[in-house]
Amino acid sequence: MHLAHPGLKNPEYYVPGLPVDHVAQRYGISPAEISKLGSAENPYGASPKAKAAVAEAIESMHLYASWTAEPLRQKIADTYGYEPNQVICGSGETEVIALIIRAFCEPGEEILMPGPCFPIYHLFAEAEGRVPVLAHQATDRGTMAMDVDAYIDAITPATRIVFVTNPHSPSGTWMSEADVRRIVEAAPHALVVLDEAYVHYSGGPGYIHLAHDYPHLIVLRTFSKAFGLAGLRLGFGIAAPSIVDALLAVKPTWNIGQLQLAGGIAALDDDEHVERTVATIIDSRGYVQDRFEALDRFRMVPGSASNFFLVEILDPDIGSTQVFEGLLERGVIVKDGSVSFRGLDQRFLRCDVNLREHMDRLVAALADLP
Ligand SMILES: Cc1ncc(COP(=O)(O)O)c(C=O)c1O
């Protein structure tokens, strides 16, 4: 008997980057010898200020937190120059994405997204009976960057939501403010979602200010990356109050607990941690780019402004799954493009930028493949 709705008959789930323990056990490699380059986490761990605040907040763990995450909303609003009623907090940005799909698109209606893109967009759309439209034609195969004109052409009167990811995932490429504005202005009848999960690694402030200019735009951010709080689960969106009000109505009421509240508020004051992380990632990005020059069967796809990049396999006799498995045997975890991103075939892998020693391991392991 199948009780779930028909769209959930053979559900497809998100494929996360593999954990260290799994690889250590399967290949008998010591965890210290493993490079985890498939989940774009922070090499320095959590913000120390957030850790201290979470430890203190344990004392209030028996109390329900504000259902709108009010103290955090206030802090986010103050930090970015908005009002608290323009902020929606989620258990990770992922939850905010789920709420957006539910609130701004009816079953059977269309959601436009780049192809390839962060898979959560289409997985949640399908699970909720909405129709994801992946604009594969808008991805340039040489740079893997998005062709903005082609993406704008893909917007139709039937489009209800338009996703834009900047820096993009999986390519890491960066879009100019003028191009983002062009997309937003081409879809006045839809909700445009600007996902800035990796914005810190661009080295600039990003485009969160655009939510002041457009009543049909929501800008999303996460605490999982530069703040190092992927395991705490915290993300947020900034938009016009009417958009936030709709999202509050579909939000599971107490989605943010006391520990998340405290950690998020403290992390926003931890400039030192963010700056150290960003400086390291930008340094390592240049470093690994130079190291790739020595490889002749693999190409680092240029242009990443993020903490990951695409590797293209130039040797036609090997595929991404084979390379993925070969790297695992050598203690290096990455993402197999053919498994992790719809529309990326057997030619690509996505690898994190991390400390130089891990970049050395990645390059050495690629060079060592048969
Ligand atoms: C493009 C993009 N957006 C959003 C997220 C969601 O992050 P979280 O749910 O951890 O806040 C991720 C995580 O990998 C991502 O790659």
Side-chain angles (χ1 to χ4, degrees):
M1 194 166 58
H2 185 76
L3 294 175
H5 72 66
L8 293 179
K9 206 153 191 178
N10 293 302
E12 189 185 334
Y13 301 108
Y14 181 67
V15 182
L18 290 174
V20 167
D21 289 357
H22 172 92
V23 177
Q25 275 168 20
R26 189 164 139 203
Y27 297 98
I29 306 172
S30 128
E33 299 296 314
I34 292 173
S35 291
K36 188 171 191 276
L37 304 175
S39 301
E41 290 150 340
N42 190 313
Y44 295 128
S47 140
K49 286 190 178 169
K51 274 193 197 170
V54 167
E56 212 171 293
I58 284 180
E59 294 307 322
S60 25
M61 209 158 64
H62 60 296
L63 301 171
Y64 281 99
S66 152
W67 77 275
T68 56
E70 213 51 39
L72 177 60
R73 258 181 135 189
Q74 183 73 58
K75 179 73 186 175
I76 292 167
D78 293 346
T79 304
Y80 298 104
Y82 286 88
E83 294 299 322
N85 66 353
Q86 294 179 278
V87 181
I88 176 89
C89 298
S91 175
E93 217 195 280
T94 303
E95 188 183 38
V96 184
I97 293 167
L99 303 180
I100 289 169
I101 289 171
R102 218 171 292 149
F104 289 90
C105 183
E106 291 190 48
E109 291 187 325
E110 292 180 6
I111 303 178
L112 182 67
M113 56 199 74
C117 63
F118 181 41
I120 293 285
Y121 305 157
H122 54 77
L123 293 176
F124 282 172
E126 283 165 350
E128 300 275 7
R130 279 66 168 172
V131 181
V133 177
L134 276 81
H136 292 291
Q137 71 279 14
T139 297
D140 179 283
R141 290 292 291 191
T143 62
M144 298 308 284
M146 200 169 80
D147 178 321
V148 175
D149 291 322
Y151 199 56
I152 287 174
D153 283 348
I155 298 169
T156 74
T159 308
R160 306 294 302 143
I161 299 174
V162 178
F163 277 102
V164 178
T165 321
N166 199 43
H168 188 53
S169 176
S171 66
T173 48
W174 183 252
M175 213 182 284
S176 71
E177 180 173 332
D179 279 343
V180 174
R181 283 186 185 273
R182 281 207 295 137
I183 296 170
V184 179
E185 288 169 17
H189 59 293
L191 179 69
V192 180
V193 182
L194 175 60
D195 181 346
E196 293 196 326
Y198 299 98
V199 68
H200 291 92
Y201 304 116
S202 71
Y207 309 139
I208 207 163
H209 59 280
L210 291 185
H212 284 298
D213 294 355
Y214 300 104
H216 65 296
L217 173 69
I218 183 164
V219 183
L220 305 185
R221 296 264 177 117
T222 179
F223 284 86
S224 299
K225 309 298 174 183
F227 297 109
L229 302 180
L232 190 63
R233 307 308 303 134
L234 203 52
F236 64 93
I238 294 201
S242 61
I243 290 176
V244 170
D245 286 350
L247 295 171
L248 286 176
V250 294
K251 183 176 80 62
T253 307
W254 291 281
N255 61 329
I256 305 289
Q258 299 285 7
L259 308 191
Q260 289 154 292
L261 271 189
I265 291 168
L268 285 169
D269 282 330
D270 204 342
D271 293 343
E272 199 182 330
H273 188 67
V274 171
E275 282 163 18
R276 177 175 180 233
T277 302
V278 170
T280 296
I281 296 298
I282 292 177
D283 168 78
S284 280
R285 212 162 57 202
Y287 177 75
V288 69
Q289 191 174 342
D290 292 344
R291 296 289 324 267
F292 259 74
E293 297 292 318
L295 300 172
D296 51 11
R297 294 190 299 161
F298 303 96
R299 174 177 84 99
M300 178 177 171
V301 177
S304 174
S306 192
N307 62 339
F308 50 77
F309 56 92
L310 282 172
V311 172
E312 185 174 9
I313 304 164
L314 302 174
D315 182 343
D317 295 331
I318 44 174
S320 63
T321 305
Q322 210 180 330
V323 174
F324 172 78
E325 294 288 342
L327 291 179
L328 281 186
E329 284 167 26
R330 289 161 180 78
V332 177
I333 305 168
V334 298
K335 271 191 152 88
D336 174 355
S338 71
V339 173
S340 296
F341 295 98
R342 212 176 271 182
L344 263 197
D345 47 29
Q346 282 284 336
R347 307 318 310 154
F348 293 95
L349 302 131
R350 200 193 82 171
C351 307
D352 294 352
V353 178
N354 202 295
L355 304 179
R356 284 182 175 215
E357 69 200 69
H358 296 297
M359 299 294 89
D360 287 339
R361 277 199 203 143
L362 168 69
V363 173
L366 285 170
D368 188 50
L369 290 175

